[in-house]
Amino acid sequence: MNLRSVFHLLLILLVATVLTVAQNQPDPTGTGNVSPNLEKGAPPIPIITGGIALNTSFDPHETVIGPVVAPIILVPLGRHALIESEFEAKSEVVHTGGSFEPVTLEKGVEYAQLDLFLGKYLTLVAGRYATPFAIYKERLDARWIRNLPAEPLIFGVGDNSSNGGMLRGALPLSSGAQLTYSGYFSALANNQFAGSERQTGLRTGLFFPGPRFEAAFSFNRRLGAERFNNYGADFTWNARSVPIDIRSEALISEAAGYGYWVEAAYRLSSSRFSKWLRRSQAVVRGEQYFGPRVLMDTGLEMPEGDANRIFTGWNYWLTDSVRAGVAYGRQFGAEDNHNIWTLGISYRFVR
């Protein structure tokens, strides 16, 4: 059996496993969220959650199959502390030029942190945590959460974890507004599975619960051999009158480049749609990236040159936990214009 046949078999087995597990899940609501039914006053119990996913992308140059396994463990320590950890293992099977490239397995600890709830408005985080630069890494990176399989072009700046400490929380400014904040410091660690860069930074924003709108600013200072600043901005809006979510990020950095993305996801939950369509979601994202003004070895995985890209996608929930999706994108670059097709399926589990 050749390598192509092996991975086709793995694909079939994964899909079959996901669908088998899905048959034992509750009827879908179309939200993609799972909320454990915990009794009020019940003692804290450990939770194992996370997910698995399989995405395949096609463009004129290559085909990439990307399986991902990411279990998450939550362990409450009484009412005032929580241990949370995520381990991720992923691989890329690349077919280009008529043959498969060597397959490697990447694995690492996304976060392994202790949260101490010091008060209503303050949490101390110690250990390894997702660096809070903008929103994609902390909130949207998980395969069963992100609306499109491909990360934004500017994701390379925020795609990292820190080893150190962080203070975070939210302060009420009025009945209709809250100030959110997080400040952190990370030490240098060369560990293969839990490495980090020496850096510091903060993210602060305003959240308005009524219109469900948040706008925030991020600052990051790299303190390694090359020292430079990154600035970011983000906003989210979950509209009440229309079932649409709008998200966006922007990056300003002389060393890493400049760019932004804007994404809108519309849930077809209205009664005017057929019952099967109500389990689906339409997505569109536009983005631009411009190269850095100062050339230095940042160590960040950023696009090689200026690029524009647009994606459209459609997601369908087979159950609350199982989601399938298809996306089409077009990238416009100075020397590389091409189409990108992506097929994927993800399963989120809670035990």
Side-chain angles (χ1 to χ4, degrees), residues 131-140 152 154 168 180-182 202-208 212-219 231-237 246-252 259-263:
T131 307
F133 184 84
I135 57 174
Y136 198 93
K137 178 66 176 181
E138 276 198 309
R139 303 184 188 180
L140 310 174
I154 63 173
R168 67 186 311 156
T180 62
Y181 68 90
S182 59
L202 61 86
R203 178 184 179 273
T204 183
L206 291 174
F207 174 61
F208 303 93
R212 299 193 289 192
F213 177 84
E214 181 183 19
F217 164 80
S218 298
F219 167 75
Y231 302 92
D234 62 83
F235 79 84
T236 59
W237 181 37
I246 300 176
R247 301 162 174 164
S248 180
E249 286 183 339
L251 168 68
I252 299 175
Y260 69 90
W261 60 267
V262 181
E263 180 181 284

Side-chain angles (χ1 to χ4, degrees), residues 93-114:
V93 184
V94 181
H95 183 267
T96 182
S99 61
F100 285 97
E101 296 182 0
V103 179
T104 59
L105 177 65
E106 297 181 21
K107 49 188 180 294
V109 179
E110 290 291 288
Y111 54 85
Q113 64 191 61
L114 171 64

Side-chain angles (χ1 to χ4, degrees), residues 142-216:
R143 269 59 175 186
W144 61 92
I145 295 177
R146 61 173 66 177
N147 292 324
L148 293 168
E151 300 93 348
L153 293 170
I154 63 173
F155 181 52
V157 172
D159 184 20
N160 62 88
S161 297
S162 296
N163 293 340
M166 173 170 57
L167 293 174
R168 67 186 311 156
L171 299 172
L173 301 180
S174 67
S175 59
Q178 297 177 5
L179 174 68
T180 62
Y181 68 90
S182 59
Y184 60 92
F185 177 83
S186 172
L188 177 65
N190 294 319
N191 186 278
Q192 180 180 358
F193 303 113
S196 65
E197 298 293 331
R198 190 166 181 265
Q199 60 182 321
T200 187
L202 61 86
R203 178 184 179 273
T204 183
L206 291 174
F207 174 61
F208 303 93
R212 299 193 289 192
F213 177 84
E214 181 183 19

